[in-house]
């Protein structure tokens, strides 16, 4: 699986947009970009995923560059409950390891009042 | 639906003791996983299963065994616990490829080995 690079930490003011970057310069054509988050002491939670088009759901938007070498997760109106570690993961639709997810260090987002 | 549940939530073991962690899911998912998470780090895959009666090794399988006798349950065993196995253990499940991409995680089991 391709590796990802994320900043270790970011701050965001409550009510403002949080933009979390991720570099995945060695991504392959069949690999999706996934975002999960982990609120303190809880299990990770799926947020969104995409292949090459921008995606939006009730939680966030995912912007993938045209060359697919980087992406940005956008939380449009961050709240204190969005404080968490955010993981960017790349993975094929199907791999030989049961669709395992490979978690890196993630970005620790702190939303401040 | 309860989703993914894990039993127990907390456990303290002495070195050399054995125990079994139970993961249950009520979503009829084919795939199930066991991960461990050490302080300040991301999750690492221990073992996984792509269906009832099947298991496979993940990234860090040594010292652990698993069984998937029923589709809804995935058991993680520690035969002889070591302090290096002190960690938070997360179970997850997902449908097979081509249907959904999401893995659903349980709340975790905090294990301390003294």
């Amino acid at each position: 699986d391709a590796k990802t690079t994320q900043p270790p930490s970011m701050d965001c003011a409550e009510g403002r947009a949080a933009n979390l970057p991720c570099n995945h310069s060695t991504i392959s054509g069949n690999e999706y970009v996934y975002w999960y988050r982990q609120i303190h002491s809880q299990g990770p939670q799926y947020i969104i995923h995409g292949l090459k088009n921008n995606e939006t759901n009730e939680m966030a938007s995912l912007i993938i560059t045209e060359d697919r070498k980087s992406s940005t997760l956008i939380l449009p109106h961050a709240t204190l409950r969005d404080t968490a570690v955010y993981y960017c993961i790349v993975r094929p639709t199907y791999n030989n390891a049961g669709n395992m997810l490979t978690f890196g260090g993630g970005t620790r987002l702190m939303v401040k009042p | 639906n309860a989703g993914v549940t894990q039993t127990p939530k907390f456990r303290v073991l002495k070195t050399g003791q054995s125990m079994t962690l139970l993961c249950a899911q009520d979503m009829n998912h084919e795939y199930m996983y066991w991960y461990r998470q050490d302080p300040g780090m991301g999750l690492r895959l221990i073992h996984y299963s792509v269906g009832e009666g099947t298991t496979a090794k993940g990234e860090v399988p040594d010292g652990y065994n698993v069984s998937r006798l029923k589709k809804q349950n995935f058991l993680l065993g520690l035969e002889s616990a070591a302090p290096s196995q002190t960690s938070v253990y997360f179970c997850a499940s997902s449908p097979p490829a081509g249907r959904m991409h999401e893995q659903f995680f349980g709340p975790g089991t905090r294990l301390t080995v003294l």
Side-chain angles (χ1 to χ4, degrees):
Chain A
D1 290 351
K3 294 183 178 179
T4 63
T5 304
Q6 299 178 251
S9 64
M10 292 181 64
D11 290 343
C12 178
E14 188 179 18
R16 303 296 294 269
N19 298 287
L20 292 90
C22 179
N23 287 320
H24 31 79
S25 58
T26 60
I27 192 170
S28 300
N30 67 339
E31 289 183 317
Y32 282 74
V33 179
Y34 294 81
W35 283 84
Y36 280 74
R37 74 178 182 183
Q38 187 175 24
I39 296 172
H40 182 61
S41 299
Q42 299 181 20
Q45 175 190 23
Y46 165 84
I47 301 173
I48 199 167
H49 74 278
L51 183 62
K52 54 183 178 180
N53 296 323
N54 297 339
E55 302 287 345
T56 296
N57 64 20
E58 65 277 4
M59 290 183 68
S61 295
L62 174 60
I63 308 298
I64 303 174
T65 58
E66 191 169 345
D67 63 6
R68 303 212 320 123
K69 293 185 177 181
S70 66
S71 61
T72 301
L73 178 75
I74 301 173
L75 308 178
H77 305 287
T79 70
L80 298 179
R81 288 178 293 180
D82 291 322
T83 292
V85 178
Y86 288 77
Y87 296 99
C88 171
I89 301 166
V90 294
R91 196 202 74 196
T93 304
Y94 176 78
N95 63 26
N96 291 327
N99 299 337
M100 63 174 283
L101 296 171
T102 301
F103 290 81
T107 295
R108 185 172 299 275
L109 176 68
M110 179 72 72
V111 180
K112 297 183 176 181
Chain B
N1 287 350
V4 179
T5 58
Q6 294 183 231
T7 308
K9 289 183 172 56
F10 304 92
R11 186 71 184 270
V12 178
L13 291 178
K14 295 181 180 179
T15 297
Q17 287 185 318
S18 64
M19 77 164 294
T20 300
L21 283 68
L22 170 64
C23 176
Q25 53 95 2
D26 61 2
M27 297 173 283
N28 201 35
H29 285 167
E30 293 290 334
Y31 290 9
M32 296 187 75
Y33 314 81
W34 276 108
Y35 293 87
R36 62 175 286 174
Q37 185 174 35
D38 299 327
M41 298 181 65
L43 282 71
R44 292 183 293 169
L45 183 67
I46 304 171
H47 286 279
Y48 66 96
S49 168
V50 299
E52 181 178 326
T54 71
T55 64
K57 294 180 180 180
E59 180 185 359
V60 289
D62 294 342
Y64 304 94
N65 57 77
V66 288
S67 64
R68 183 98 181 269
L69 299 180
K70 295 182 179 180
K71 185 177 183 179
Q72 64 268 32
N73 295 337
F74 195 28
L75 279 63
L76 178 71
L78 287 73
E79 291 186 347
S80 180
S84 61
Q85 293 177 305
T86 293
S87 191
V88 181
Y89 292 85
F90 289 100
C91 176
S93 71
S94 75
R99 291 167 59 181
M100 280 185 66
H101 294 257
E102 180 178 353
Q103 285 190 17
F104 295 80
F105 285 81
T109 294
R110 293 184 176 276
L111 175 66
T112 301
V113 183
L114 303 176

